Amino acid sequence: MQSRFPMLGKLILLIGDMGLLVLATYLAVFIVFYDRTAQMDFPMYYNMTPVMIVTAGILFNINGLFSLSRKKFSELLLSLGVALFNLMVVMMAISFFLKEFGYSRSVLFITMMLQFTMLAAWKYIFWQAERALGTRKNTLLIGNPMECVKVIARLQFQPQLNYHVRYVCTDCESETWKNVNEDIDLMIVCAELSLKDKAEIVHYCHTNGKQVFLIPNMYEIFCSGAELDKIDDIPVFHPCYLKPALEQRTLKRILDIAVSGAVLFFLWPLLMLVAIAVKLDSPGPILYSQVRTGLDEQEFRVYKFRSMRADAESTTGPVLAGENDPRITRLGKFLRATRIDELPQLFNVLLGDMSIVGPRPERPFFVEQFKAEIPEYIYRHNVKPGITGLAQVYGKYNTTPYNKLIYDLIYIQKCNVLTDLVIMLQTVKVLVTKSSTEGVKSSHADLSRYEIDQLG
């Protein structure tokens, strides 16, 4: 439905979502006040309905609930649960600030449960319809063997995308990729191809009605935010420096202080309980501090609840955490999975060393390694490091440093308060997604492992 009638499909989905949201609200009101109709303030609930619909639309869009076919249904359920929980919290806050103290909290809770049940069933029907009406896209992958293997491996973990890699071309100069034009619907172009080759492929796809995906490199990241200028009548692009303006940094700092202060105020009992649990679980200090690289490559100490043995690196030196790392304590596994170990970093935010949203701070030892391998790594230090970020929301724990850097630079380019708020909301889903906290894995593969025709 989405592929054949995209606008109609989205409109039907939107109308169904909003209708069920309203229906669930009125059912909840009826359930709570069934035998107390005289006590119910009907106009209050009617007046809050438009606020709920607008808020839900924003939260559903942020959590990707209007694009179903590209997701697993388990991912849709998780996104739906997170969006509806956020909606309940927002409605509580709005009713408080609007002095609507009579807005029943029981109604809000029952509404959320009914909305989840009804919307889950509705979205499952729509998701199945999209999958049934959707067609598999035969794909041509163009790039060097190592890049192609990485893309194929990722696509195998996302079968719901419906991309079937039918051909791989590792020699773009031979132009054998043009011979399979009739057999493919999509071309995926890897990052390391030359600009000349990319330009030719994009032009070919546009003139032949083929969809094309470009995996970006650093040059393209810079160009994506370029401003149009001119020299006399010659058009020129003026790439912007990857650094937020003063007013953006000021607003971001105000948001950081407000959010970190509020979270610490409400969660201090949890912090006390975790501190006691860490002390009882294993010998050593409660907090773990470590030198990290921050804004303008200035070093600072980051604080976390200790999740490893006190002597974790006494014999190995600096080592990245791996999956099933034996150095992690029993309690530490839980703290890392839920990200509770990072709550003390809110004090780093208040002190001004970190931000709520930004690139993750790395240790100087690894920063020097990454800078030697990827010179553009220095640009991620143009903003303060963050507790969460675009790389944490869209990537995984074992995403390569290069791909994480791409996400970080895209964030720096679009850095503003609205972007930060969206990433904060999306982070809630990351906290309950296991794949986002997996350790670093190493993989070695070659194209011969896959049943794919190689063109060059």
Side-chain angles (χ1 to χ4, degrees), residues 24 96 107 116 137 147 149 167 174 238 243 254-255 263 284 292 294 312 354 361 367 375 379 391 407 414 444:
F96 175 81
V107 168
F116 181 81
K137 290 189 175 182
E147 287 184 300
V149 165
Y167 301 101
S174 67
H238 173 230
K243 192 164 189 176
I254 293 171
L255 179 66
V263 173
R292 298 288 177 99
M354 292 180 64
V367 168
Y379 297 122
Y407 284 123
K414 300 179 179 179
H444 300 282

Side-chain angles (χ1 to χ4, degrees), residues 12 81 101 148 186 189 194 251 254 280 290 315 344 356 385 428 437:
I12 294 172
F101 300 112
C148 291
L186 167 70
V189 182
S194 68
L251 291 173
I254 293 171
L280 295 176
Q290 194 177 69
T315 58
I356 297 293
V428 178
T437 56

Side-chain angles (χ1 to χ4, degrees), residues 172-199:
C172 189
E173 296 296 329
S174 67
E175 296 195 349
T176 53
W177 52 272
K178 293 183 179 180
N179 299 333
V180 296
N181 175 62
E182 298 300 322
D183 300 330
I184 63 164
D185 308 294
L186 167 70
M187 293 189 193
I188 300 178
V189 182
C190 294
E192 295 303 316
L193 259 66
S194 68
L195 290 175
K196 174 179 173 295
D197 290 335
K198 288 182 179 179

Side-chain angles (χ1 to χ4, degrees), residues 96-160:
F96 175 81
F97 285 113
L98 294 179
K99 310 298 183 184
E100 297 286 2
F101 300 112
Y103 202 102
S104 171
R105 299 302 183 256
S106 298
V107 168
L108 281 172
F109 180 75
I110 295 174
T111 296
M112 184 186 72
M113 301 305 295
L114 289 173
Q115 286 172 342
F116 181 81
T117 303
M118 296 164 69
L119 284 169
W122 161 244
K123 287 190 177 293
Y124 179 76
I125 294 170
F126 206 90
W127 177 74
Q128 287 283 29
E130 284 191 353
R131 288 170 61 87
L133 294 172
T135 55
R136 188 171 69 164
K137 290 189 175 182
N138 290 322
T139 303
L140 166 62
L141 185 57
I142 305 178
N144 65 52
M146 185 58 68
E147 287 184 300
C148 291
V149 165
K150 291 178 181 178
V151 174
I152 294 170
R154 290 301 186 186
L155 286 176
Q156 287 187 336
F157 284 103
Q158 304 293 331
Q160 77 284 353

